[in-house]
Amino acid sequence: MKKIGFLSFGHWTPSPQSQVRTASDALLQSIELAVAAEELGADGAYFRVHHFARQLGSPFPLLAAVGARTKRIEIGTAVIDMRYENPMYMAEDAGAADLIAGGRLQLGISRGSPEQVMDGWRYFGYAPPEGMTDADMARRHTEVFLELLRGEGFARPNPRPMFPNPPGLLRVEPYSEGLRERIWWGAGTNATAEWAAKLGMNMQSSTLKIDESGRPFHVQQAEQIRIFREAWKAAGHTREPRVSVSRSIFALVDDRDRAYFGRGNESEDTIGFLGDNARAIFGRSYAAEPDALIEQLKQDEAIAEADTLLLTVPNQLGVDYNAHVIAAILKHVAPGLGWR
């Protein structure tokens, strides 16, 4: 059985064709979609974080709100760009959101992808120290964040505090037990998958990765997952790691589905280049009648390797339609693949 959740980028646009025209629409509809997904029996509500964009940019108020409105569903990100983050403040926000949600946070973090502005993290007050790249800075922020989530005291208390302190050095509060094991790294390469495993993070792999062999996307992604698991085992971690992959999958079960996604225009992998001119491979989308879709998905090696599947949803089509998209997969596709 696989865990099946949705992943929303939270786009909004003032276009009259969009059901999500303002930032308020995007945030409130994200909460409503998480509630609807829980009622449908989905396992996760995940949100992408982009800065300087008409998308979901500040995750923790949204995660806390979703946590307060739901009871069972996992709540996560895929991913938070760690180049922009203050690890101390992030540990406070993450701890608070996780406590509100009752320990259901699943935080996906990463070095990030090309953004809307050049070196956007500089506007947030961050710059790599001399000799480090922005990717190095992201990994350093991550290491500090992970250390804080251990819950160990490190700050010397004031001998004349305003309020009584517990004995010893103080830690960042609020602290949420177990959150450290629910941190995921969004790996774009085999090497970063291996690095994440060594640090004891779960792994997220999206619909793109650096092209390292020229083979089909799902084959390269499956290899990445195996490399991650081998590195995890070699590191000697005692718990089982989790791995998620993201996919655009649409079961064509009514005329709306066929009108939106029935043309098959994205049924092949594509090649592109990221901001640093790295050659990247982008995974195909899936859209077909349920029986055909089941047969196509059986051939996807990376989905077979992963334990969690995140369905990327077209959030600008509104809550009702996106709930329909999720329900169609859960009802018409997942059982035929043994996912339910």
Side-chain angles (χ1 to χ4, degrees), residues 20 24 37 41 71 102 132 155 171 173-174 194 233 236 252 264 268 271 277 301 305 310 317 325 329 332:
V20 188
S24 176
K71 293 182 172 58
M132 290 178 62
R171 66 188 181 190
E173 299 286 358
E194 191 171 4
K233 183 177 179 180
L252 307 182
E268 301 291 337
I271 297 294
N277 290 321
E301 294 182 18
E305 289 281 349
L310 301 183
L317 294 180
V325 168
I329 299 299
H332 299 292

PDB file of all heavy atoms in Angstrom, residues 20 24 37 41 71 102 132 155 171 173-174 194 233 236 252 264 268 271 277 301 305 310 317 325 329 332:
ATOM      1  N   VAL A  20      -8.581  30.899  -8.981  1.00  0.00           N
ATOM      2  CA  VAL A  20      -7.716  31.342  -7.876  1.00  0.00           C
ATOM      3  C   VAL A  20      -7.079  32.658  -8.319  1.00  0.00           C
ATOM      4  O   VAL A  20      -6.048  32.678  -8.971  1.00  0.00           O
ATOM      5  CB  VAL A  20      -6.635  30.294  -7.561  1.00  0.00           C
ATOM      6  CG1 VAL A  20      -5.875  30.665  -6.292  1.00  0.00           C
ATOM      7  CG2 VAL A  20      -7.248  28.908  -7.406  1.00  0.00           C
ATOM      8  N   SER A  24      -5.183  35.514  -1.253  1.00  0.00           N
ATOM      9  CA  SER A  24      -6.164  35.004  -0.287  1.00  0.00           C
ATOM     10  C   SER A  24      -6.862  33.771  -0.830  1.00  0.00           C
ATOM     11  O   SER A  24      -7.030  32.773  -0.108  1.00  0.00           O
ATOM     12  CB  SER A  24      -7.197  36.093   0.027  1.00  0.00           C
ATOM     13  OG  SER A  24      -8.199  35.609   0.881  1.00  0.00           O
ATOM     14  N   ALA A  37      -9.369  16.535   0.810  1.00  0.00           N
ATOM     15  CA  ALA A  37      -8.523  15.364   0.565  1.00  0.00           C
ATOM     16  C   ALA A  37      -8.573  14.405   1.746  1.00  0.00           C
ATOM     17  O   ALA A  37      -8.600  13.177   1.571  1.00  0.00           O
ATOM     18  CB  ALA A  37      -7.085  15.806   0.287  1.00  0.00           C
ATOM     19  N   GLY A  41      -9.979  10.345   1.907  1.00  0.00           N
ATOM     20  CA  GLY A  41      -9.105   9.247   2.300  1.00  0.00           C
ATOM     21  C   GLY A  41      -7.688   9.364   1.796  1.00  0.00           C
ATOM     22  O   GLY A  41      -6.907   8.405   1.895  1.00  0.00           O
ATOM     23  N   LYS A  71      -7.438  16.319  10.989  1.00  0.00           N
ATOM     24  CA  LYS A  71      -7.132  15.449  12.126  1.00  0.00           C
ATOM     25  C   LYS A  71      -6.161  14.319  11.793  1.00  0.00           C
ATOM     26  O   LYS A  71      -5.455  13.836  12.671  1.00  0.00           O
ATOM     27  CB  LYS A  71      -8.423  14.838  12.688  1.00  0.00           C
ATOM     28  CG  LYS A  71      -9.361  15.842  13.329  1.00  0.00           C
ATOM     29  CD  LYS A  71     -10.584  15.154  13.888  1.00  0.00           C
ATOM     30  CE  LYS A  71     -11.453  16.105  14.703  1.00  0.00           C
ATOM     31  NZ  LYS A  71     -11.906  17.266  13.929  1.00  0.00           N
ATOM     32  N   GLY A 102      -0.536  18.134  15.786  1.00  0.00           N
ATOM     33  CA  GLY A 102      -0.448  16.865  16.513  1.00  0.00           C
ATOM     34  C   GLY A 102       0.601  15.928  15.961  1.00  0.00           C
ATOM     35  O   GLY A 102       0.424  14.710  15.957  1.00  0.00           O
ATOM     36  N   MET A 132      32.127  29.575  -0.450  1.00  0.00           N
ATOM     37  CA  MET A 132      30.951  28.723  -0.474  1.00  0.00           C
ATOM     38  C   MET A 132      30.007  29.178  -1.592  1.00  0.00           C
ATOM     39  O   MET A 132      29.967  30.351  -1.934  1.00  0.00           O
ATOM     40  CB  MET A 132      30.197  28.774   0.856  1.00  0.00           C
ATOM     41  CG  MET A 132      30.923  28.114   2.007  1.00  0.00           C
ATOM     42  SD  MET A 132      30.008  28.266   3.575  1.00  0.00           S
ATOM     43  CE  MET A 132      28.499  27.383   3.198  1.00  0.00           C
ATOM     44  N   ALA A 155      22.068  27.203  24.446  1.00  0.00           N
ATOM     45  CA  ALA A 155      22.163  28.630  24.740  1.00  0.00           C
ATOM     46  C   ALA A 155      22.293  28.858  26.245  1.00  0.00           C
ATOM     47  O   ALA A 155      21.507  28.326  27.035  1.00  0.00           O
ATOM     48  CB  ALA A 155      20.928  29.358  24.203  1.00  0.00           C
ATOM     49  N   ARG A 171      17.163  25.394  24.825  1.00  0.00           N
ATOM     50  CA  ARG A 171      16.971  25.070  23.410  1.00  0.00           C
ATOM     51  C   ARG A 171      15.930  26.011  22.812  1.00  0.00           C
ATOM     52  O   ARG A 171      15.241  26.746  23.520  1.00  0.00           O
ATOM     53  CB  ARG A 171      16.495  23.629  23.262  1.00  0.00           C
ATOM     54  CG  ARG A 171      15.102  23.377  23.835  1.00  0.00           C
ATOM     55  CD  ARG A 171      14.751  21.906  23.843  1.00  0.00           C
ATOM     56  NE  ARG A 171      13.393  21.695  24.373  1.00  0.00           N
ATOM     57  CZ  ARG A 171      12.883  20.504  24.667  1.00  0.00           C
ATOM     58  NH1 ARG A 171      13.624  19.411  24.501  1.00  0.00           N
ATOM     59  NH2 ARG A 171      11.658  20.396  25.128  1.00  0.00           N
ATOM     60  N   GLU A 173      12.456  26.936  21.473  1.00  0.00           N
ATOM     61  CA  GLU A 173      11.102  26.494  21.802  1.00  0.00           C
ATOM     62  C   GLU A 173      10.090  27.152  20.855  1.00  0.00           C
ATOM     63  O   GLU A 173      10.355  28.252  20.355  1.00  0.00           O
ATOM     64  CB  GLU A 173      10.757  26.866  23.249  1.00  0.00           C
ATOM     65  CG  GLU A 173      11.645  26.259  24.313  1.00  0.00           C
ATOM     66  CD  GLU A 173      11.406  24.770  24.561  1.00  0.00           C
ATOM     67  OE1 GLU A 173      10.501  24.192  23.915  1.00  0.00           O
ATOM     68  OE2 GLU A 173      12.117  24.198  25.403  1.00  0.00           O
ATOM     69  N   PRO A 174       8.940  26.531  20.610  1.00  0.00           N
ATOM     70  CA  PRO A 174       8.521  25.238  21.143  1.00  0.00           C
ATOM     71  C   PRO A 174       9.196  24.081  20.415  1.00  0.00           C
ATOM     72  O   PRO A 174       9.498  24.177  19.221  1.00  0.00           O
ATOM     73  CB  PRO A 174       7.012  25.232  20.882  1.00  0.00           C
ATOM     74  CG  PRO A 174       6.846  26.064  19.653  1.00  0.00           C
ATOM     75  CD  PRO A 174       7.886  27.139  19.752  1.00  0.00           C
ATOM     76  N   GLU A 194      22.368  10.756  -1.880  1.00  0.00           N
ATOM     77  CA  GLU A 194      23.294  10.054  -0.988  1.00  0.00           C
ATOM     78  C   GLU A 194      23.612  10.906   0.238  1.00  0.00           C
ATOM     79  O   GLU A 194      23.646  10.404   1.374  1.00  0.00           O
ATOM     80  CB  GLU A 194      24.571   9.718  -1.757  1.00  0.00           C
ATOM     81  CG  GLU A 194      25.493   8.767  -1.046  1.00  0.00           C
ATOM     82  CD  GLU A 194      26.626   8.294  -1.940  1.00  0.00           C
ATOM     83  OE1 GLU A 194      26.728   8.767  -3.087  1.00  0.00           O
ATOM     84  OE2 GLU A 194      27.406   7.435  -1.474  1.00  0.00           O
ATOM     85  N   LYS A 233      21.399   2.635   4.421  1.00  0.00           N
ATOM     86  CA  LYS A 233      21.807   1.405   5.101  1.00  0.00           C
ATOM     87  C   LYS A 233      23.261   1.486   5.539  1.00  0.00           C
ATOM     88  O   LYS A 233      23.616   1.104   6.663  1.00  0.00           O
ATOM     89  CB  LYS A 233      21.595   0.216   4.173  1.00  0.00           C
ATOM     90  CG  LYS A 233      21.913  -1.122   4.792  1.00  0.00           C
ATOM     91  CD  LYS A 233      21.607  -2.258   3.824  1.00  0.00           C
ATOM     92  CE  LYS A 233      21.944  -3.612   4.433  1.00  0.00           C
ATOM     93  NZ  LYS A 233      21.649  -4.723   3.489  1.00  0.00           N
ATOM     94  N   GLY A 236      23.980   3.326   8.730  1.00  0.00           N
ATOM     95  CA  GLY A 236      23.635   2.653   9.972  1.00  0.00           C
ATOM     96  C   GLY A 236      22.425   3.193  10.703  1.00  0.00           C
ATOM     97  O   GLY A 236      22.258   2.944  11.902  1.00  0.00           O
ATOM     98  N   LEU A 252      -9.053  10.014 -16.809  1.00  0.00           N
ATOM     99  CA  LEU A 252     -10.088  10.642 -17.634  1.00  0.00           C
ATOM    100  C   LEU A 252     -11.397   9.896 -17.428  1.00  0.00           C
ATOM    101  O   LEU A 252     -11.648   8.868 -18.060  1.00  0.00           O
ATOM    102  CB  LEU A 252      -9.671  10.616 -19.105  1.00  0.00           C
ATOM    103  CG  LEU A 252      -8.279  11.206 -19.415  1.00  0.00           C
ATOM    104  CD1 LEU A 252      -8.005  11.159 -20.916  1.00  0.00           C
ATOM    105  CD2 LEU A 252      -8.138  12.627 -18.873  1.00  0.00           C
ATOM    106  N   GLY A 264      -3.050  14.527 -24.548  1.00  0.00           N
ATOM    107  CA  GLY A 264      -1.803  13.763 -24.533  1.00  0.00           C
ATOM    108  C   GLY A 264      -0.584  14.543 -24.969  1.00  0.00           C
ATOM    109  O   GLY A 264       0.362  13.980 -25.518  1.00  0.00           O
ATOM    110  N   GLU A 268       5.540  12.441 -23.012  1.00  0.00           N
ATOM    111  CA  GLU A 268       6.939  12.041 -23.160  1.00  0.00           C
ATOM    112  C   GLU A 268       7.807  12.880 -22.233  1.00  0.00           C
ATOM    113  O   GLU A 268       7.477  14.024 -21.898  1.00  0.00           O
ATOM    114  CB  GLU A 268       7.411  12.239 -24.611  1.00  0.00           C
ATOM    115  CG  GLU A 268       6.621  11.462 -25.645  1.00  0.00           C
ATOM    116  CD  GLU A 268       6.843   9.957 -25.556  1.00  0.00           C
ATOM    117  OE1 GLU A 268       7.897   9.552 -25.020  1.00  0.00           O
ATOM    118  OE2 GLU A 268       5.974   9.204 -26.027  1.00  0.00           O
ATOM    119  N   ILE A 271      13.632  17.478 -22.162  1.00  0.00           N
ATOM    120  CA  ILE A 271      14.940  17.930 -21.698  1.00  0.00           C
ATOM    121  C   ILE A 271      14.939  19.444 -21.647  1.00  0.00           C
ATOM    122  O   ILE A 271      14.416  20.121 -22.530  1.00  0.00           O
ATOM    123  CB  ILE A 271      16.069  17.439 -22.636  1.00  0.00           C
ATOM    124  CG1 ILE A 271      16.134  15.912 -22.643  1.00  0.00           C
ATOM    125  CG2 ILE A 271      17.412  18.032 -22.215  1.00  0.00           C
ATOM    126  CD1 ILE A 271      16.532  15.295 -21.330  1.00  0.00           C
ATOM    127  N   ASN A 277      22.693  26.186 -16.266  1.00  0.00           N
ATOM    128  CA  ASN A 277      22.914  25.459 -17.521  1.00  0.00           C
ATOM    129  C   ASN A 277      23.114  23.963 -17.324  1.00  0.00           C
ATOM    130  O   ASN A 277      23.694  23.298 -18.185  1.00  0.00           O
ATOM    131  CB  ASN A 277      24.100  26.049 -18.308  1.00  0.00           C
ATOM    132  CG  ASN A 277      23.772  27.429 -18.866  1.00  0.00           C
ATOM    133  OD1 ASN A 277      22.650  27.665 -19.311  1.00  0.00           O
ATOM    134  ND2 ASN A 277      24.738  28.332 -18.825  1.00  0.00           N
ATOM    135  N   GLU A 301       9.112   2.756 -13.094  1.00  0.00           N
ATOM    136  CA  GLU A 301       9.976   2.095 -12.112  1.00  0.00           C
ATOM    137  C   GLU A 301      10.124   2.897 -10.825  1.00  0.00           C
ATOM    138  O   GLU A 301      10.246   2.327  -9.736  1.00  0.00           O
ATOM    139  CB  GLU A 301      11.352   1.830 -12.725  1.00  0.00           C
ATOM    140  CG  GLU A 301      11.340   0.836 -13.873  1.00  0.00           C
ATOM    141  CD  GLU A 301      12.729   0.560 -14.418  1.00  0.00           C
ATOM    142  OE1 GLU A 301      13.727   0.865 -13.712  1.00  0.00           O
ATOM    143  OE2 GLU A 301      12.834   0.042 -15.549  1.00  0.00           O
ATOM    144  N   GLU A 305       9.354   2.002  -6.810  1.00  0.00           N
ATOM    145  CA  GLU A 305      10.384   2.045  -5.762  1.00  0.00           C
ATOM    146  C   GLU A 305       9.961   2.883  -4.559  1.00  0.00           C
ATOM    147  O   GLU A 305      10.409   2.645  -3.444  1.00  0.00           O
ATOM    148  CB  GLU A 305      11.684   2.618  -6.333  1.00  0.00           C
ATOM    149  CG  GLU A 305      12.424   1.702  -7.296  1.00  0.00           C
ATOM    150  CD  GLU A 305      13.212   0.616  -6.573  1.00  0.00           C
ATOM    151  OE1 GLU A 305      13.361   0.701  -5.335  1.00  0.00           O
ATOM    152  OE2 GLU A 305      13.692  -0.306  -7.252  1.00  0.00           O
ATOM    153  N   LEU A 310       3.020  11.751  -4.637  1.00  0.00           N
ATOM    154  CA  LEU A 310       2.393  13.064  -4.546  1.00  0.00           C
ATOM    155  C   LEU A 310       1.840  13.442  -5.910  1.00  0.00           C
ATOM    156  O   LEU A 310       2.580  13.523  -6.893  1.00  0.00           O
ATOM    157  CB  LEU A 310       3.407  14.113  -4.080  1.00  0.00           C
ATOM    158  CG  LEU A 310       4.066  13.859  -2.718  1.00  0.00           C
ATOM    159  CD1 LEU A 310       4.983  15.017  -2.352  1.00  0.00           C
ATOM    160  CD2 LEU A 310       3.021  13.630  -1.634  1.00  0.00           C
ATOM    161  N   LEU A 317      -7.806  25.409 -11.112  1.00  0.00           N
ATOM    162  CA  LEU A 317      -9.109  24.908 -11.533  1.00  0.00           C
ATOM    163  C   LEU A 317     -10.092  24.794 -10.360  1.00  0.00           C
ATOM    164  O   LEU A 317     -11.235  24.397 -10.552  1.00  0.00           O
ATOM    165  CB  LEU A 317      -8.961  23.559 -12.231  1.00  0.00           C
ATOM    166  CG  LEU A 317      -8.192  23.603 -13.564  1.00  0.00           C
ATOM    167  CD1 LEU A 317      -8.099  22.209 -14.169  1.00  0.00           C
ATOM    168  CD2 LEU A 317      -8.848  24.563 -14.554  1.00  0.00           C
ATOM    169  N   VAL A 325     -10.155  15.207  -9.047  1.00  0.00           N
ATOM    170  CA  VAL A 325      -8.926  14.595  -9.581  1.00  0.00           C
ATOM    171  C   VAL A 325      -8.352  13.588  -8.591  1.00  0.00           C
ATOM    172  O   VAL A 325      -7.982  12.464  -8.955  1.00  0.00           O
ATOM    173  CB  VAL A 325      -7.885  15.693  -9.914  1.00  0.00           C
ATOM    174  CG1 VAL A 325      -6.514  15.080 -10.173  1.00  0.00           C
ATOM    175  CG2 VAL A 325      -8.332  16.503 -11.124  1.00  0.00           C
ATOM    176  N   ILE A 329      -8.269   9.153  -8.801  1.00  0.00           N
ATOM    177  CA  ILE A 329      -7.089   8.288  -8.636  1.00  0.00           C
ATOM    178  C   ILE A 329      -7.319   7.279  -7.522  1.00  0.00           C
ATOM    179  O   ILE A 329      -7.029   6.078  -7.655  1.00  0.00           O
ATOM    180  CB  ILE A 329      -5.837   9.132  -8.351  1.00  0.00           C
ATOM    181  CG1 ILE A 329      -5.540  10.084  -9.518  1.00  0.00           C
ATOM    182  CG2 ILE A 329      -4.639   8.232  -8.066  1.00  0.00           C
ATOM    183  CD1 ILE A 329      -5.262   9.400 -10.840  1.00  0.00           C
ATOM    184  N   HIS A 332     -10.419   4.849  -8.929  1.00  0.00           N
ATOM    185  CA  HIS A 332     -10.374   4.129 -10.198  1.00  0.00           C
ATOM    186  C   HIS A 332      -8.987   3.586 -10.563  1.00  0.00           C
ATOM    187  O   HIS A 332      -8.892   2.731 -11.440  1.00  0.00           O
ATOM    188  CB  HIS A 332     -10.846   5.037 -11.336  1.00  0.00           C
ATOM    189  CG  HIS A 332     -12.255   5.517 -11.180  1.00  0.00           C
ATOM    190  ND1 HIS A 332     -13.334   4.667 -11.278  1.00  0.00           N
ATOM    191  CD2 HIS A 332     -12.759   6.756 -10.912  1.00  0.00           C
ATOM    192  CE1 HIS A 332     -14.453   5.355 -11.102  1.00  0.00           C
ATOM    193  NE2 HIS A 332     -14.127   6.621 -10.869  1.00  0.00           N
TER     194      HIS A 332
END
